[in-house]
């Protein structure tokens, strides 16, 4: 069941709870969703931050957990944009990054992209690259790993004598 939102947020994202019916509906159309599995929550264990656009056409999930693959930082577990009016995918990702750094300051952000399961494109993960991520590896299973490192704060120091 879809739930249209009647309010706006400061920026494109509205925090929602894991298991929100609208978020669940978007998640079930993401390539990582398992068919024929009855789920009431769609984010795995660990700290989580689930975001939905005001028009309910894009979903973003941050997750902090202990990775079996040895990755550290905050994981973008789900990003799905079904044509949200809130912005291009790269703009939505960049806005979600800012929220992640407000919640987890100084953390590395990363995601996996399965090139065999995303819509055929010349560059799988292109929206993440446009949002400032860089490709940093490949998993044993063939997923591409992208990361975005926090910008170091500018500190003022006295000029050399």
């Amino acid at each position: 069941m879809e739930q249209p939102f009647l309010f706006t947020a400061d920026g494109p994202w509205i925090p929602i709870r894991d298991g929100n019916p609208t978020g669940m509906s978007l998640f079930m159309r993401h390539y990582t969703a398992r068919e024929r599995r009855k789920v009431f929550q769609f984010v795995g264990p660990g700290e989580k931050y689930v975001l939905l656009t005001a028009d309910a056409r894009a979903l973003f999930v941050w997750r902090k957990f202990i990775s079996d693959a040895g990755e550290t930082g905050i994981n973008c577990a789900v990003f799905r944009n079904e044509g949200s009016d809130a912005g291009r995918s790269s703009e939505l990702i960049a806005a979600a990054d800012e929220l992640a750094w407000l919640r987890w300051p100084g953390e590395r952000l990363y995601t996996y992209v399965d090139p065999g399961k995303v819509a055929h494109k010349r560059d799988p993960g292109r929206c993440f690259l446009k949002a400032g991520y860089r490709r940093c590896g490949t998993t044993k299973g063939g997923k591409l790993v992208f990361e975005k490192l926090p910008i170091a704060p500018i500190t003022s120091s006295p000029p050399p004598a």
Side-chain angles (χ1 to χ4, degrees), residues 112-141:
Y112 302 107
V113 175
D114 188 335
K117 292 193 178 175
V118 295
H120 276 297
K121 299 176 190 170
R122 62 178 175 214
D123 319 332
R126 184 175 187 177
C127 56
F128 283 92
L129 292 169
K130 287 186 160 235
Y133 283 69
R134 71 175 192 93
R135 186 166 163 200
C136 62
T138 306
T139 67
K140 290 179 186 177

PDB file of all heavy atoms in Angstrom, residues 112-141:
ATOM      1  N   TYR A 112      28.012  -1.222  -2.775  1.00  0.00           N
ATOM      2  CA  TYR A 112      28.291  -2.274  -3.744  1.00  0.00           C
ATOM      3  C   TYR A 112      27.313  -2.103  -4.905  1.00  0.00           C
ATOM      4  O   TYR A 112      26.146  -1.789  -4.694  1.00  0.00           O
ATOM      5  CB  TYR A 112      28.051  -3.664  -3.142  1.00  0.00           C
ATOM      6  CG  TYR A 112      28.851  -3.972  -1.902  1.00  0.00           C
ATOM      7  CD1 TYR A 112      28.241  -4.004  -0.653  1.00  0.00           C
ATOM      8  CD2 TYR A 112      30.202  -4.262  -1.984  1.00  0.00           C
ATOM      9  CE1 TYR A 112      28.964  -4.306   0.489  1.00  0.00           C
ATOM     10  CE2 TYR A 112      30.931  -4.567  -0.846  1.00  0.00           C
ATOM     11  CZ  TYR A 112      30.304  -4.589   0.393  1.00  0.00           C
ATOM     12  OH  TYR A 112      31.025  -4.893   1.513  1.00  0.00           O
ATOM     13  N   VAL A 113      27.784  -2.359  -6.110  1.00  0.00           N
ATOM     14  CA  VAL A 113      26.918  -2.358  -7.289  1.00  0.00           C
ATOM     15  C   VAL A 113      27.166  -3.670  -8.026  1.00  0.00           C
ATOM     16  O   VAL A 113      28.302  -3.997  -8.348  1.00  0.00           O
ATOM     17  CB  VAL A 113      27.217  -1.153  -8.223  1.00  0.00           C
ATOM     18  CG1 VAL A 113      26.404  -1.249  -9.497  1.00  0.00           C
ATOM     19  CG2 VAL A 113      26.959   0.160  -7.505  1.00  0.00           C
ATOM     20  N   ASP A 114      26.099  -4.410  -8.261  1.00  0.00           N
ATOM     21  CA  ASP A 114      26.196  -5.658  -9.010  1.00  0.00           C
ATOM     22  C   ASP A 114      25.963  -5.334 -10.483  1.00  0.00           C
ATOM     23  O   ASP A 114      24.825  -5.092 -10.886  1.00  0.00           O
ATOM     24  CB  ASP A 114      25.161  -6.656  -8.498  1.00  0.00           C
ATOM     25  CG  ASP A 114      25.332  -8.038  -9.110  1.00  0.00           C
ATOM     26  OD1 ASP A 114      25.891  -8.137 -10.229  1.00  0.00           O
ATOM     27  OD2 ASP A 114      24.897  -9.013  -8.477  1.00  0.00           O
ATOM     28  N   PRO A 115      27.018  -5.305 -11.299  1.00  0.00           N
ATOM     29  CA  PRO A 115      26.850  -4.901 -12.703  1.00  0.00           C
ATOM     30  C   PRO A 115      25.936  -5.819 -13.498  1.00  0.00           C
ATOM     31  O   PRO A 115      25.361  -5.395 -14.501  1.00  0.00           O
ATOM     32  CB  PRO A 115      28.273  -4.914 -13.266  1.00  0.00           C
ATOM     33  CG  PRO A 115      29.074  -5.738 -12.336  1.00  0.00           C
ATOM     34  CD  PRO A 115      28.398  -5.682 -10.994  1.00  0.00           C
ATOM     35  N   GLY A 116      25.743  -7.044 -13.048  1.00  0.00           N
ATOM     36  CA  GLY A 116      24.868  -7.964 -13.749  1.00  0.00           C
ATOM     37  C   GLY A 116      23.394  -7.795 -13.414  1.00  0.00           C
ATOM     38  O   GLY A 116      22.540  -8.349 -14.074  1.00  0.00           O
ATOM     39  N   LYS A 117      23.108  -6.993 -12.377  1.00  0.00           N
ATOM     40  CA  LYS A 117      21.712  -6.865 -11.943  1.00  0.00           C
ATOM     41  C   LYS A 117      21.141  -5.461 -12.078  1.00  0.00           C
ATOM     42  O   LYS A 117      19.958  -5.270 -11.874  1.00  0.00           O
ATOM     43  CB  LYS A 117      21.581  -7.337 -10.497  1.00  0.00           C
ATOM     44  CG  LYS A 117      21.819  -8.833 -10.376  1.00  0.00           C
ATOM     45  CD  LYS A 117      21.405  -9.353  -9.051  1.00  0.00           C
ATOM     46  CE  LYS A 117      21.609 -10.855  -9.000  1.00  0.00           C
ATOM     47  NZ  LYS A 117      21.328 -11.388  -7.679  1.00  0.00           N
ATOM     48  N   VAL A 118      21.969  -4.490 -12.417  1.00  0.00           N
ATOM     49  CA  VAL A 118      21.439  -3.145 -12.637  1.00  0.00           C
ATOM     50  C   VAL A 118      21.071  -3.017 -14.105  1.00  0.00           C
ATOM     51  O   VAL A 118      21.524  -3.799 -14.941  1.00  0.00           O
ATOM     52  CB  VAL A 118      22.449  -2.035 -12.228  1.00  0.00           C
ATOM     53  CG1 VAL A 118      22.701  -2.071 -10.730  1.00  0.00           C
ATOM     54  CG2 VAL A 118      23.754  -2.153 -12.979  1.00  0.00           C
ATOM     55  N   ALA A 119      20.254  -2.019 -14.424  1.00  0.00           N
ATOM     56  CA  ALA A 119      19.883  -1.792 -15.819  1.00  0.00           C
ATOM     57  C   ALA A 119      21.163  -1.638 -16.642  1.00  0.00           C
ATOM     58  O   ALA A 119      22.137  -1.041 -16.179  1.00  0.00           O
ATOM     59  CB  ALA A 119      19.025  -0.537 -15.922  1.00  0.00           C
ATOM     60  N   HIS A 120      21.166  -2.209 -17.839  1.00  0.00           N
ATOM     61  CA  HIS A 120      22.378  -2.146 -18.661  1.00  0.00           C
ATOM     62  C   HIS A 120      22.780  -0.703 -18.924  1.00  0.00           C
ATOM     63  O   HIS A 120      22.009   0.089 -19.444  1.00  0.00           O
ATOM     64  CB  HIS A 120      22.180  -2.890 -19.987  1.00  0.00           C
ATOM     65  CG  HIS A 120      22.434  -4.343 -19.850  1.00  0.00           C
ATOM     66  ND1 HIS A 120      23.659  -4.855 -19.501  1.00  0.00           N
ATOM     67  CD2 HIS A 120      21.612  -5.410 -19.973  1.00  0.00           C
ATOM     68  CE1 HIS A 120      23.590  -6.172 -19.441  1.00  0.00           C
ATOM     69  NE2 HIS A 120      22.357  -6.536 -19.715  1.00  0.00           N
ATOM     70  N   LYS A 121      23.975  -0.402 -18.524  1.00  0.00           N
ATOM     71  CA  LYS A 121      24.536   0.936 -18.700  1.00  0.00           C
ATOM     72  C   LYS A 121      25.977   0.763 -19.123  1.00  0.00           C
ATOM     73  O   LYS A 121      26.582  -0.271 -18.880  1.00  0.00           O
ATOM     74  CB  LYS A 121      24.509   1.713 -17.378  1.00  0.00           C
ATOM     75  CG  LYS A 121      23.140   1.917 -16.810  1.00  0.00           C
ATOM     76  CD  LYS A 121      23.270   2.601 -15.453  1.00  0.00           C
ATOM     77  CE  LYS A 121      21.946   2.591 -14.746  1.00  0.00           C
ATOM     78  NZ  LYS A 121      22.035   2.996 -13.384  1.00  0.00           N
ATOM     79  N   ARG A 122      26.523   1.821 -19.676  1.00  0.00           N
ATOM     80  CA  ARG A 122      27.936   1.718 -20.046  1.00  0.00           C
ATOM     81  C   ARG A 122      28.817   1.737 -18.812  1.00  0.00           C
ATOM     82  O   ARG A 122      29.892   1.170 -18.799  1.00  0.00           O
ATOM     83  CB  ARG A 122      28.316   2.826 -21.011  1.00  0.00           C
ATOM     84  CG  ARG A 122      28.144   4.193 -20.416  1.00  0.00           C
ATOM     85  CD  ARG A 122      28.570   5.300 -21.352  1.00  0.00           C
ATOM     86  NE  ARG A 122      28.244   6.543 -20.694  1.00  0.00           N
ATOM     87  CZ  ARG A 122      27.863   7.615 -21.296  1.00  0.00           C
ATOM     88  NH1 ARG A 122      27.782   7.639 -22.595  1.00  0.00           N
ATOM     89  NH2 ARG A 122      27.580   8.688 -20.617  1.00  0.00           N
ATOM     90  N   ASP A 123      28.375   2.402 -17.728  1.00  0.00           N
ATOM     91  CA  ASP A 123      29.153   2.459 -16.486  1.00  0.00           C
ATOM     92  C   ASP A 123      28.259   2.109 -15.301  1.00  0.00           C
ATOM     93  O   ASP A 123      27.614   3.012 -14.774  1.00  0.00           O
ATOM     94  CB  ASP A 123      29.696   3.863 -16.198  1.00  0.00           C
ATOM     95  CG  ASP A 123      30.221   4.616 -17.389  1.00  0.00           C
ATOM     96  OD1 ASP A 123      30.666   3.985 -18.327  1.00  0.00           O
ATOM     97  OD2 ASP A 123      30.188   5.847 -17.345  1.00  0.00           O
ATOM     98  N   PRO A 124      28.216   0.862 -14.859  1.00  0.00           N
ATOM     99  CA  PRO A 124      27.459   0.561 -13.644  1.00  0.00           C
ATOM    100  C   PRO A 124      28.006   1.391 -12.476  1.00  0.00           C
ATOM    101  O   PRO A 124      29.217   1.506 -12.303  1.00  0.00           O
ATOM    102  CB  PRO A 124      27.712  -0.932 -13.416  1.00  0.00           C
ATOM    103  CG  PRO A 124      28.119  -1.460 -14.748  1.00  0.00           C
ATOM    104  CD  PRO A 124      28.833  -0.325 -15.438  1.00  0.00           C
ATOM    105  N   GLY A 125      27.123   1.995 -11.718  1.00  0.00           N
ATOM    106  CA  GLY A 125      27.549   2.846 -10.607  1.00  0.00           C
ATOM    107  C   GLY A 125      27.787   4.289 -11.006  1.00  0.00           C
ATOM    108  O   GLY A 125      28.293   5.086 -10.215  1.00  0.00           O
ATOM    109  N   ARG A 126      27.406   4.648 -12.216  1.00  0.00           N
ATOM    110  CA  ARG A 126      27.683   5.997 -12.724  1.00  0.00           C
ATOM    111  C   ARG A 126      27.103   7.095 -11.829  1.00  0.00           C
ATOM    112  O   ARG A 126      27.745   8.125 -11.611  1.00  0.00           O
ATOM    113  CB  ARG A 126      27.127   6.137 -14.137  1.00  0.00           C
ATOM    114  CG  ARG A 126      27.452   7.460 -14.752  1.00  0.00           C
ATOM    115  CD  ARG A 126      27.008   7.537 -16.180  1.00  0.00           C
ATOM    116  NE  ARG A 126      27.514   8.788 -16.727  1.00  0.00           N
ATOM    117  CZ  ARG A 126      27.356   9.144 -17.955  1.00  0.00           C
ATOM    118  NH1 ARG A 126      26.722   8.356 -18.797  1.00  0.00           N
ATOM    119  NH2 ARG A 126      27.821  10.282 -18.384  1.00  0.00           N
ATOM    120  N   CYS A 127      25.907   6.888 -11.284  1.00  0.00           N
ATOM    121  CA  CYS A 127      25.313   7.927 -10.434  1.00  0.00           C
ATOM    122  C   CYS A 127      26.154   8.129  -9.173  1.00  0.00           C
ATOM    123  O   CYS A 127      26.261   9.254  -8.671  1.00  0.00           O
ATOM    124  CB  CYS A 127      23.859   7.621 -10.103  1.00  0.00           C
ATOM    125  SG  CYS A 127      23.567   6.034  -9.332  1.00  0.00           S
ATOM    126  N   PHE A 128      26.772   7.079  -8.667  1.00  0.00           N
ATOM    127  CA  PHE A 128      27.658   7.236  -7.511  1.00  0.00           C
ATOM    128  C   PHE A 128      28.936   7.973  -7.908  1.00  0.00           C
ATOM    129  O   PHE A 128      29.419   8.829  -7.166  1.00  0.00           O
ATOM    130  CB  PHE A 128      27.976   5.870  -6.883  1.00  0.00           C
ATOM    131  CG  PHE A 128      26.851   5.339  -6.050  1.00  0.00           C
ATOM    132  CD1 PHE A 128      25.886   4.511  -6.592  1.00  0.00           C
ATOM    133  CD2 PHE A 128      26.732   5.699  -4.711  1.00  0.00           C
ATOM    134  CE1 PHE A 128      24.832   4.040  -5.836  1.00  0.00           C
ATOM    135  CE2 PHE A 128      25.685   5.234  -3.940  1.00  0.00           C
ATOM    136  CZ  PHE A 128      24.731   4.411  -4.503  1.00  0.00           C
ATOM    137  N   LEU A 129      29.473   7.660  -9.079  1.00  0.00           N
ATOM    138  CA  LEU A 129      30.665   8.374  -9.560  1.00  0.00           C
ATOM    139  C   LEU A 129      30.367   9.869  -9.704  1.00  0.00           C
ATOM    140  O   LEU A 129      31.161  10.712  -9.296  1.00  0.00           O
ATOM    141  CB  LEU A 129      31.133   7.792 -10.897  1.00  0.00           C
ATOM    142  CG  LEU A 129      31.686   6.373 -10.835  1.00  0.00           C
ATOM    143  CD1 LEU A 129      31.865   5.804 -12.239  1.00  0.00           C
ATOM    144  CD2 LEU A 129      32.984   6.322 -10.050  1.00  0.00           C
ATOM    145  N   LYS A 130      29.192  10.207 -10.259  1.00  0.00           N
ATOM    146  CA  LYS A 130      28.815  11.616 -10.429  1.00  0.00           C
ATOM    147  C   LYS A 130      28.600  12.307  -9.088  1.00  0.00           C
ATOM    148  O   LYS A 130      28.693  13.523  -9.006  1.00  0.00           O
ATOM    149  CB  LYS A 130      27.571  11.734 -11.304  1.00  0.00           C
ATOM    150  CG  LYS A 130      27.853  11.457 -12.758  1.00  0.00           C
ATOM    151  CD  LYS A 130      26.624  11.732 -13.599  1.00  0.00           C
ATOM    152  CE  LYS A 130      27.045  11.931 -15.023  1.00  0.00           C
ATOM    153  NZ  LYS A 130      26.605  13.153 -15.586  1.00  0.00           N
ATOM    154  N   ALA A 131      28.297  11.520  -8.040  1.00  0.00           N
ATOM    155  CA  ALA A 131      28.100  12.083  -6.697  1.00  0.00           C
ATOM    156  C   ALA A 131      29.409  12.180  -5.918  1.00  0.00           C
ATOM    157  O   ALA A 131      29.404  12.526  -4.745  1.00  0.00           O
ATOM    158  CB  ALA A 131      27.097  11.232  -5.922  1.00  0.00           C
ATOM    159  N   GLY A 132      30.532  11.855  -6.582  1.00  0.00           N
ATOM    160  CA  GLY A 132      31.834  12.022  -5.934  1.00  0.00           C
ATOM    161  C   GLY A 132      32.466  10.753  -5.392  1.00  0.00           C
ATOM    162  O   GLY A 132      33.502  10.798  -4.734  1.00  0.00           O
ATOM    163  N   TYR A 133      31.876   9.609  -5.673  1.00  0.00           N
ATOM    164  CA  TYR A 133      32.459   8.334  -5.238  1.00  0.00           C
ATOM    165  C   TYR A 133      33.559   7.935  -6.217  1.00  0.00           C
ATOM    166  O   TYR A 133      33.619   8.419  -7.347  1.00  0.00           O
ATOM    167  CB  TYR A 133      31.395   7.231  -5.216  1.00  0.00           C
ATOM    168  CG  TYR A 133      30.479   7.302  -4.025  1.00  0.00           C
ATOM    169  CD1 TYR A 133      29.566   8.341  -3.890  1.00  0.00           C
ATOM    170  CD2 TYR A 133      30.510   6.333  -3.030  1.00  0.00           C
ATOM    171  CE1 TYR A 133      28.719   8.411  -2.791  1.00  0.00           C
ATOM    172  CE2 TYR A 133      29.672   6.397  -1.938  1.00  0.00           C
ATOM    173  CZ  TYR A 133      28.779   7.440  -1.820  1.00  0.00           C
ATOM    174  OH  TYR A 133      27.943   7.513  -0.735  1.00  0.00           O
ATOM    175  N   ARG A 134      34.394   7.006  -5.781  1.00  0.00           N
ATOM    176  CA  ARG A 134      35.400   6.422  -6.662  1.00  0.00           C
ATOM    177  C   ARG A 134      35.320   4.911  -6.532  1.00  0.00           C
ATOM    178  O   ARG A 134      34.977   4.391  -5.469  1.00  0.00           O
ATOM    179  CB  ARG A 134      36.798   6.926  -6.339  1.00  0.00           C
ATOM    180  CG  ARG A 134      37.361   6.409  -5.039  1.00  0.00           C
ATOM    181  CD  ARG A 134      38.809   6.854  -4.811  1.00  0.00           C
ATOM    182  NE  ARG A 134      39.377   6.112  -3.707  1.00  0.00           N
ATOM    183  CZ  ARG A 134      40.067   4.980  -3.803  1.00  0.00           C
ATOM    184  NH1 ARG A 134      40.292   4.455  -4.989  1.00  0.00           N
ATOM    185  NH2 ARG A 134      40.541   4.367  -2.743  1.00  0.00           N
ATOM    186  N   ARG A 135      35.606   4.242  -7.616  1.00  0.00           N
ATOM    187  CA  ARG A 135      35.632   2.783  -7.571  1.00  0.00           C
ATOM    188  C   ARG A 135      36.896   2.364  -6.843  1.00  0.00           C
ATOM    189  O   ARG A 135      37.990   2.830  -7.166  1.00  0.00           O
ATOM    190  CB  ARG A 135      35.582   2.210  -8.976  1.00  0.00           C
ATOM    191  CG  ARG A 135      35.468   0.717  -8.949  1.00  0.00           C
ATOM    192  CD  ARG A 135      35.095   0.141 -10.272  1.00  0.00           C
ATOM    193  NE  ARG A 135      35.409  -1.278 -10.245  1.00  0.00           N
ATOM    194  CZ  ARG A 135      35.577  -2.007 -11.309  1.00  0.00           C
ATOM    195  NH1 ARG A 135      35.445  -1.465 -12.507  1.00  0.00           N
ATOM    196  NH2 ARG A 135      35.859  -3.281 -11.201  1.00  0.00           N
ATOM    197  N   CYS A 136      36.747   1.480  -5.856  1.00  0.00           N
ATOM    198  CA  CYS A 136      37.913   1.104  -5.056  1.00  0.00           C
ATOM    199  C   CYS A 136      38.129  -0.397  -4.987  1.00  0.00           C
ATOM    200  O   CYS A 136      38.991  -0.855  -4.245  1.00  0.00           O
ATOM    201  CB  CYS A 136      37.803   1.697  -3.653  1.00  0.00           C
ATOM    202  SG  CYS A 136      36.392   1.101  -2.719  1.00  0.00           S
ATOM    203  N   GLY A 137      37.371  -1.170  -5.737  1.00  0.00           N
ATOM    204  CA  GLY A 137      37.605  -2.602  -5.716  1.00  0.00           C
ATOM    205  C   GLY A 137      36.448  -3.394  -6.271  1.00  0.00           C
ATOM    206  O   GLY A 137      35.454  -2.853  -6.753  1.00  0.00           O
ATOM    207  N   THR A 138      36.609  -4.712  -6.167  1.00  0.00           N
ATOM    208  CA  THR A 138      35.601  -5.671  -6.605  1.00  0.00           C
ATOM    209  C   THR A 138      35.553  -6.783  -5.567  1.00  0.00           C
ATOM    210  O   THR A 138      36.596  -7.231  -5.090  1.00  0.00           O
ATOM    211  CB  THR A 138      35.967  -6.271  -7.980  1.00  0.00           C
ATOM    212  OG1 THR A 138      36.183  -5.192  -8.904  1.00  0.00           O
ATOM    213  CG2 THR A 138      34.880  -7.163  -8.522  1.00  0.00           C
ATOM    214  N   THR A 139      34.353  -7.221  -5.220  1.00  0.00           N
ATOM    215  CA  THR A 139      34.221  -8.314  -4.253  1.00  0.00           C
ATOM    216  C   THR A 139      34.517  -9.642  -4.931  1.00  0.00           C
ATOM    217  O   THR A 139      34.557  -9.737  -6.165  1.00  0.00           O
ATOM    218  CB  THR A 139      32.801  -8.362  -3.659  1.00  0.00           C
ATOM    219  OG1 THR A 139      31.883  -8.720  -4.689  1.00  0.00           O
ATOM    220  CG2 THR A 139      32.405  -7.034  -3.021  1.00  0.00           C
ATOM    221  N   LYS A 140      34.666 -10.687  -4.117  1.00  0.00           N
ATOM    222  CA  LYS A 140      34.880 -12.030  -4.666  1.00  0.00           C
ATOM    223  C   LYS A 140      33.721 -12.445  -5.565  1.00  0.00           C
ATOM    224  O   LYS A 140      33.905 -13.179  -6.529  1.00  0.00           O
ATOM    225  CB  LYS A 140      35.027 -13.045  -3.533  1.00  0.00           C
ATOM    226  CG  LYS A 140      36.306 -12.913  -2.759  1.00  0.00           C
ATOM    227  CD  LYS A 140      36.359 -13.932  -1.632  1.00  0.00           C
ATOM    228  CE  LYS A 140      37.574 -13.696  -0.767  1.00  0.00           C
ATOM    229  NZ  LYS A 140      37.609 -14.618   0.385  1.00  0.00           N
ATOM    230  N   GLY A 141      32.524 -11.960  -5.270  1.00  0.00           N
ATOM    231  CA  GLY A 141      31.346 -12.291  -6.063  1.00  0.00           C
ATOM    232  C   GLY A 141      31.161 -11.429  -7.304  1.00  0.00           C
ATOM    233  O   GLY A 141      30.177 -11.572  -8.021  1.00  0.00           O
TER     234      GLY A 141
END
